[in-house]
Amino acid sequence: MLHTANPTAGYLALKTEIDAAIQAVLQGSSYVLGPVVENFEQRFSDYIGTAHGVGVNSGSDALHLALRGLGIGPGAEVITVSHTAVATVAAIEMAGAVPVLVDVEPDWRTIDSAAVEAQLGPATRAVVAVHLYGHPASLGPLRELCSRRGLLLIEDCAQAHGARCGDQRVGSVGNAGIFSFYPTKNLGGIGDGGMLVTQDDELAQRVRRLRQYGWDTPQQSLVPGWNTRLDTLQAAVLAVKLPHLDAMNDARRRLAAHYGEQLRDLPLRLPAEQPGCQVVYHLYVVEAPDGSTREALRAHLLAAGIAAGIHYPTPVHRQPAYAGRLRCGPLPVTERLAATVLSLPLYPELGLPDQDRVINGIRAFFRTRR
């Protein structure tokens, strides 16, 4: 069965190096934080182009602590999108803040700065821009808006490791950037992991304190904190993969280009790339003409051994935990995407024969509907 992601293939591609790194950790003296984590924090922040990296237990925790570290908590409103993984909104509420949900741009499927401006209120303190599917959000207009209105800008880069806006990597533009190292990500570990990156010395110090009980020194809590640390094993695996990230992203772009060439004559809306941006295709997401066509195509592919995914079938504002209690702007694009998006298999190790299986399956489906 072909799936949208295959983390096992990523392990096997670097098996010798990863196994050696794991053995070194097992034979070492530090399993949580320590020199291996510190080394990876520095290397990853250097790669992104920021002064600091702070490793934590997950991308959700990275966003939660970014908000806390920036002084955003109860009573503050944080604007983000409904078309995202629910983790984005959950982390805002973990900080005690109030999510306000807005629509996405139809071309890039990322946060619409005009929709953000329309929902600004006296309690608005920050904007969380989600770089969805590996495509950077339109950071220029967002940065200008946040600067003009005195708002903080946090980048949710959980699906966009290595993506660029102009000459800057995502995560280096806002007040903070957060990353997830979940196994299916462009840079994925063998369990949960995350990181906050920032140019802000004081924010980095606060988050390092918050991630471990509020400690600067062991057993002395200066402020209330949490237990959300990046473990040494994850850092060691991620350090092996990091030098290969650009090559893996290049492979994703080649696969995306092949999909584009082979599917462009079909009644599907294919991903568009914002000028000046380098997309890293965490997911290759097409849009069907309507919901019934999406479901029929998905069933057709599944019968052929291809498990296409949906990211995301239920927007946050319609999920039972959030429906009816969050302030939202108009969400027509979000509603359309929930009904029509379909994620095709795409990962660096996907071979051309398997990709052509997907392409042929899609083409066969549309031939039957003429």
Side-chain angles (χ1 to χ4, degrees), residues 55-66:
V56 294
N57 187 58
S58 67
S60 301
D61 281 353
L63 179 52
H64 168 219
L65 294 191

Side-chain angles (χ1 to χ4, degrees), residues 2 20 29 49 83 160 170 228 237 247 284:
L2 278 179
S29 59
H83 184 57
V170 300
T228 172
V237 171
Y284 190 87

Side-chain angles (χ1 to χ4, degrees), residues 15-348:
K15 183 179 186 302
T16 301
E17 294 176 73
I18 290 173
D19 287 353
I22 291 171
Q23 283 301 311
V25 171
L26 295 177
Q27 295 168 15
S29 59
S30 176
Y31 290 176
V32 177
L33 296 180
V36 173
V37 172
E38 292 169 7
N39 176 264
F40 175 65
E41 288 173 331
Q42 188 62 60
R43 288 175 59 191
F44 188 74
S45 60
D46 288 346
Y47 173 82
I48 298 300
T50 57
H52 303 282
V54 184
V56 294
N57 187 58
S58 67
S60 301
D61 281 353
L63 179 52
H64 168 219
L65 294 191
L67 293 163
R68 295 275 187 177
L70 288 165
I72 298 171
E77 290 187 346
V78 178
I79 297 179
T80 193
V81 291
S82 184
H83 184 57
T84 183
V86 73
T88 307
V89 176
I92 294 170
E93 291 202 325
M94 286 167 65
V98 179
V100 176
L101 304 182
V102 300
D103 213 357
V104 295
E105 298 173 319
D107 292 329
W108 330 126
R109 301 134 162 188
T110 56
I111 192 165
D112 185 334
S113 58
V116 171
E117 188 155 26
Q119 293 303 314
L120 294 178
T124 307
R125 290 286 312 283
V127 176
V128 175
V130 181
H131 302 301
L132 198 69
Y133 304 153
H135 197 298
S138 299
L139 288 173
L142 281 173
R143 184 165 50 181
E144 187 279 329
L145 172 62
C146 288
S147 177
R148 175 162 45 88
R149 301 298 293 266
L151 304 174
L152 297 164
L153 176 60
I154 301 170
E155 299 177 66
D156 181 340
C157 313
Q159 298 185 3
H161 311 66
R164 290 181 182 271
C165 278
D167 60 356
Q168 289 183 275
R169 293 198 194 274
V170 300
S172 67
V173 177
N175 299 89
I178 68 95
F179 291 84
S180 166
F181 300 125
Y182 187 77
T184 59
K185 304 301 186 185
N186 290 42
L187 183 64
I190 54 172
D192 275 320
M195 190 173 291
L196 172 144
V197 297
T198 184
Q199 304 286 19
D200 186 331
D201 298 348
E202 293 184 3
L203 174 60
Q205 182 181 29
R206 287 194 292 270
V207 172
R208 287 194 182 98
R209 185 179 293 151
L210 291 172
R211 74 175 172 184
Q212 187 168 225
Y213 313 118
W215 293 352
D216 272 353
T217 57
Q219 316 303 323
Q220 295 292 324
S221 294
L222 300 181
V223 296
W226 289 265
N227 176 9
T228 172
R229 301 169 292 197
L230 182 63
D231 71 70
T232 309
L233 192 64
Q234 300 305 328
V237 171
L238 293 163
V240 169
K241 290 186 171 184
L242 180 59
H244 303 276
L245 177 57
D246 286 343
M248 292 189 291
N249 284 340
D250 287 343
R252 289 175 180 272
R253 281 192 286 270
R254 287 193 296 271
L255 291 164
H258 188 56
Y259 273 137
E261 291 164 2
Q262 298 300 313
L263 301 177
R264 62 188 175 191
D265 62 322
L266 299 179
L268 293 171
R269 186 171 185 175
L270 305 181
E273 296 191 6
Q274 188 175 179
C277 290
Q278 187 177 66
V279 183
V280 294
Y281 288 100
H282 172 63
L283 295 165
Y284 190 87
V285 179
V286 301
E287 296 173 47
D290 52 64
S292 62
T293 302
R294 193 265 304 274
E295 290 307 311
L297 174 57
R298 185 162 69 118
H300 174 86
L301 291 173
L302 188 61
I306 301 163
I310 302 176
H311 299 86
Y312 298 93
T314 307
V316 176
H317 72 279
R318 288 203 280 111
Q319 298 199 17
Y322 303 99
R325 69 177 185 82
L326 299 183
R327 181 160 69 85
C328 302
L331 298 165
V333 180
T334 294
E335 294 285 2
R336 190 195 78 229
L337 292 172
T340 60
V341 292
L342 191 67
S343 303
L344 305 183
L346 191 151
Y347 45 90

